Amino acid sequence: MSSTEMSELRRTIGRLRQCVGALRARYGEAPAVRRLANDVERLDIDAGDLAQQQVPAQSKPSDPPEVVKIPDTPYDPSLWEGADDEGVGGYHRDQR
């Protein structure tokens, strides 16, 4: 993230903080206002962490991701032997 982008992010977070302050003046310590204030604080913390990391911008990978082919053939039934069918009524021992 460039310094221009970081400055714009900080400026926007500051503006959000002002808006939440106006909401707090109007609605008091309503739960929704407290959550918004917490969200703005979290954004500020994360922006600070991002500024300290100096992570280079992600580039597109030159190689396409490896494609894993999944066969259409049925699985071996013994693979599921003794497994519980969720939502079907719980675990049942051999019902053969």
Side-chain angles (χ1 to χ4, degrees), residues 77-78 81-82 93-96:
S78 66
E81 192 171 310
R93 298 231 180 244
D94 295 326
Q95 291 185 350
R96 296 180 204 178

Short mmCIF file of all heavy atoms in Angstrom, two decimals, residues 77-78 81-82 93-96:
data_model
loop_
_atom_site.label_atom_id
_atom_site.label_comp_id
_atom_site.label_asym_id
_atom_site.label_seq_id
_atom_site.Cartn_x
_atom_site.Cartn_y
_atom_site.Cartn_z
N PRO A 77 -17.58 -48.26 -0.38
CA PRO A 77 -18.52 -48.19 0.76
C PRO A 77 -17.87 -48.48 2.10
O PRO A 77 -18.32 -47.99 3.13
CB PRO A 77 -19.58 -49.25 0.42
CG PRO A 77 -19.41 -49.57 -1.02
CD PRO A 77 -18.01 -49.19 -1.39
N SER A 78 -16.80 -49.28 2.12
CA SER A 78 -16.15 -49.58 3.40
C SER A 78 -15.52 -48.34 4.01
O SER A 78 -15.28 -48.28 5.21
CB SER A 78 -15.11 -50.68 3.22
OG SER A 78 -14.04 -50.21 2.41
N GLU A 81 -18.07 -47.10 6.47
CA GLU A 81 -18.59 -48.06 7.44
C GLU A 81 -18.42 -47.53 8.87
O GLU A 81 -17.34 -47.11 9.27
CB GLU A 81 -17.86 -49.39 7.29
CG GLU A 81 -18.53 -50.52 8.04
CD GLU A 81 -17.90 -51.84 7.68
OE1 GLU A 81 -17.74 -52.12 6.48
OE2 GLU A 81 -17.55 -52.56 8.62
N GLY A 82 -19.51 -47.52 9.60
CA GLY A 82 -19.49 -47.06 10.98
C GLY A 82 -19.59 -45.55 11.14
O GLY A 82 -19.60 -45.04 12.24
N ARG A 93 -25.59 -48.84 14.70
CA ARG A 93 -24.64 -49.93 14.42
C ARG A 93 -25.13 -50.69 13.20
O ARG A 93 -26.19 -50.42 12.66
CB ARG A 93 -24.51 -50.82 15.64
CG ARG A 93 -23.96 -50.06 16.83
CD ARG A 93 -22.82 -50.81 17.42
NE ARG A 93 -22.32 -50.05 18.55
CZ ARG A 93 -21.11 -49.52 18.60
NH1 ARG A 93 -20.30 -49.66 17.60
NH2 ARG A 93 -20.72 -48.85 19.64
N ASP A 94 -24.37 -51.66 12.78
CA ASP A 94 -24.70 -52.45 11.58
C ASP A 94 -26.17 -52.79 11.53
O ASP A 94 -26.72 -53.42 12.43
CB ASP A 94 -23.86 -53.73 11.53
CG ASP A 94 -22.38 -53.44 11.38
OD1 ASP A 94 -22.06 -52.44 10.71
OD2 ASP A 94 -21.57 -54.17 11.95
N GLN A 95 -26.82 -52.35 10.47
CA GLN A 95 -28.25 -52.63 10.31
C GLN A 95 -28.47 -53.56 9.12
O GLN A 95 -29.49 -53.52 8.48
CB GLN A 95 -29.03 -51.33 10.08
CG GLN A 95 -29.07 -50.44 11.27
CD GLN A 95 -29.97 -49.23 11.00
OE1 GLN A 95 -30.39 -48.98 9.90
NE2 GLN A 95 -30.25 -48.52 12.06
N ARG A 96 -27.54 -54.38 8.84
CA ARG A 96 -27.66 -55.28 7.68
C ARG A 96 -28.58 -56.40 7.95
O ARG A 96 -28.90 -56.85 8.95
CB ARG A 96 -26.30 -55.82 7.29
CG ARG A 96 -25.39 -54.72 6.83
CD ARG A 96 -24.07 -55.30 6.47
NE ARG A 96 -23.08 -54.22 6.59
CZ ARG A 96 -21.82 -54.37 6.38
NH1 ARG A 96 -21.34 -55.53 6.03
NH2 ARG A 96 -20.99 -53.37 6.49
#
